[in-house]
mmCIF file of all heavy atoms in Angstrom:
data_model
loop_
_atom_site.group_PDB
_atom_site.id
_atom_site.type_symbol
_atom_site.label_atom_id
_atom_site.label_comp_id
_atom_site.label_asym_id
_atom_site.label_seq_id
_atom_site.Cartn_x
_atom_site.Cartn_y
_atom_site.Cartn_z
ATOM 1 N N GLN M 421 363.051 -72.496 17.794
ATOM 2 C CA GLN M 421 363.524 -71.946 18.985
ATOM 3 C C GLN M 421 364.820 -72.608 19.510
ATOM 4 O O GLN M 421 365.241 -72.352 20.580
ATOM 5 C CB GLN M 421 362.502 -72.006 20.158
ATOM 6 C CG GLN M 421 361.156 -71.347 19.700
ATOM 7 C CD GLN M 421 360.083 -71.430 20.797
ATOM 8 O OE1 GLN M 421 360.393 -71.241 22.060
ATOM 9 N NE2 GLN M 421 358.845 -71.813 20.449
ATOM 10 N N GLY M 422 365.382 -73.388 18.628
ATOM 11 C CA GLY M 422 366.607 -74.141 18.996
ATOM 12 C C GLY M 422 366.420 -75.267 19.905
ATOM 13 O O GLY M 422 367.343 -75.791 20.518
ATOM 14 N N LYS M 423 365.151 -75.769 20.074
ATOM 15 C CA LYS M 423 364.822 -76.766 20.936
ATOM 16 C C LYS M 423 364.663 -78.164 20.137
ATOM 17 O O LYS M 423 364.815 -78.220 18.965
ATOM 18 C CB LYS M 423 363.529 -76.575 21.767
ATOM 19 C CG LYS M 423 363.623 -75.173 22.488
ATOM 20 C CD LYS M 423 362.283 -74.841 23.183
ATOM 21 C CE LYS M 423 362.348 -73.585 23.991
ATOM 22 N NZ LYS M 423 361.139 -73.134 24.546
ATOM 23 N N THR M 424 364.416 -79.198 20.881
ATOM 24 C CA THR M 424 364.489 -80.609 20.259
ATOM 25 C C THR M 424 363.201 -81.407 20.553
ATOM 26 O O THR M 424 362.733 -81.408 21.697
ATOM 27 C CB THR M 424 365.669 -81.271 20.791
ATOM 28 O OG1 THR M 424 366.898 -80.493 20.742
ATOM 29 C CG2 THR M 424 365.945 -82.616 20.063
ATOM 30 N N LEU M 425 362.812 -82.047 19.531
ATOM 31 C CA LEU M 425 361.793 -83.046 19.652
ATOM 32 C C LEU M 425 362.536 -84.427 19.636
ATOM 33 O O LEU M 425 363.052 -84.762 18.692
ATOM 34 C CB LEU M 425 360.674 -83.007 18.539
ATOM 35 C CG LEU M 425 359.703 -84.127 18.618
ATOM 36 C CD1 LEU M 425 358.721 -83.838 19.745
ATOM 37 C CD2 LEU M 425 358.811 -84.140 17.228
ATOM 38 N N ILE M 426 362.465 -85.145 20.735
ATOM 39 C CA ILE M 426 363.131 -86.426 20.936
ATOM 40 C C ILE M 426 362.168 -87.589 20.690
ATOM 41 O O ILE M 426 361.100 -87.716 21.299
ATOM 42 C CB ILE M 426 363.771 -86.541 22.314
ATOM 43 C CG1 ILE M 426 364.714 -85.368 22.599
ATOM 44 C CG2 ILE M 426 364.533 -87.864 22.466
ATOM 45 C CD1 ILE M 426 365.047 -85.201 23.969
ATOM 46 N N VAL M 427 362.442 -88.334 19.596
ATOM 47 C CA VAL M 427 361.552 -89.424 19.276
ATOM 48 C C VAL M 427 362.132 -90.771 19.830
ATOM 49 O O VAL M 427 363.289 -91.098 19.473
ATOM 50 C CB VAL M 427 361.452 -89.510 17.776
ATOM 51 C CG1 VAL M 427 360.424 -90.639 17.387
ATOM 52 C CG2 VAL M 427 360.850 -88.176 17.186
ATOM 53 N N VAL M 428 361.408 -91.448 20.573
ATOM 54 C CA VAL M 428 361.745 -92.722 21.213
ATOM 55 C C VAL M 428 361.279 -93.888 20.387
ATOM 56 O O VAL M 428 360.258 -93.884 19.700
ATOM 57 C CB VAL M 428 361.217 -92.855 22.679
ATOM 58 C CG1 VAL M 428 361.561 -94.215 23.302
ATOM 59 C CG2 VAL M 428 361.673 -91.701 23.503
ATOM 60 N N ASP M 429 362.116 -94.930 20.328
ATOM 61 C CA ASP M 429 361.725 -96.109 19.530
ATOM 62 C C ASP M 429 360.366 -96.670 19.892
ATOM 63 O O ASP M 429 359.991 -96.809 21.078
ATOM 64 C CB ASP M 429 362.760 -97.172 19.764
ATOM 65 C CG ASP M 429 362.556 -98.462 18.862
ATOM 66 O OD1 ASP M 429 361.747 -98.343 17.853
ATOM 67 O OD2 ASP M 429 363.099 -99.578 19.216
ATOM 68 N N ARG M 430 359.584 -96.920 18.910
ATOM 69 C CA ARG M 430 358.195 -97.417 19.154
ATOM 70 C C ARG M 430 358.116 -98.832 19.799
ATOM 71 O O ARG M 430 357.127 -99.150 20.504
ATOM 72 C CB ARG M 430 357.413 -97.505 17.851
ATOM 73 C CG ARG M 430 358.066 -98.410 16.803
ATOM 74 C CD ARG M 430 357.255 -98.548 15.505
ATOM 75 N NE ARG M 430 356.033 -99.265 15.762
ATOM 76 C CZ ARG M 430 355.356 -99.863 14.740
ATOM 77 N NH1 ARG M 430 355.781 -99.754 13.504
ATOM 78 N NH2 ARG M 430 354.281 -100.513 15.003
ATOM 79 N N TYR M 431 359.173 -99.519 19.712
ATOM 80 C CA TYR M 431 359.163 -101.010 20.280
ATOM 81 C C TYR M 431 359.741 -100.947 21.752
ATOM 82 O O TYR M 431 359.879 -102.105 22.283
ATOM 83 C CB TYR M 431 360.009 -101.885 19.429
ATOM 84 C CG TYR M 431 359.380 -102.117 18.055
ATOM 85 C CD1 TYR M 431 359.933 -101.557 16.940
ATOM 86 C CD2 TYR M 431 358.172 -102.819 17.896
ATOM 87 C CE1 TYR M 431 359.451 -101.742 15.715
ATOM 88 C CE2 TYR M 431 357.676 -103.038 16.676
ATOM 89 C CZ TYR M 431 358.215 -102.446 15.587
ATOM 90 O OH TYR M 431 357.627 -102.622 14.364
#
Side-chain angles (χ1 to χ4, degrees):
Q421 304 180 46
K423 302 176 182 180
T424 310
L425 178 70
I426 306 169
V427 182
V428 178
D429 184 18
R430 58 177 290 201
Y431 295 109

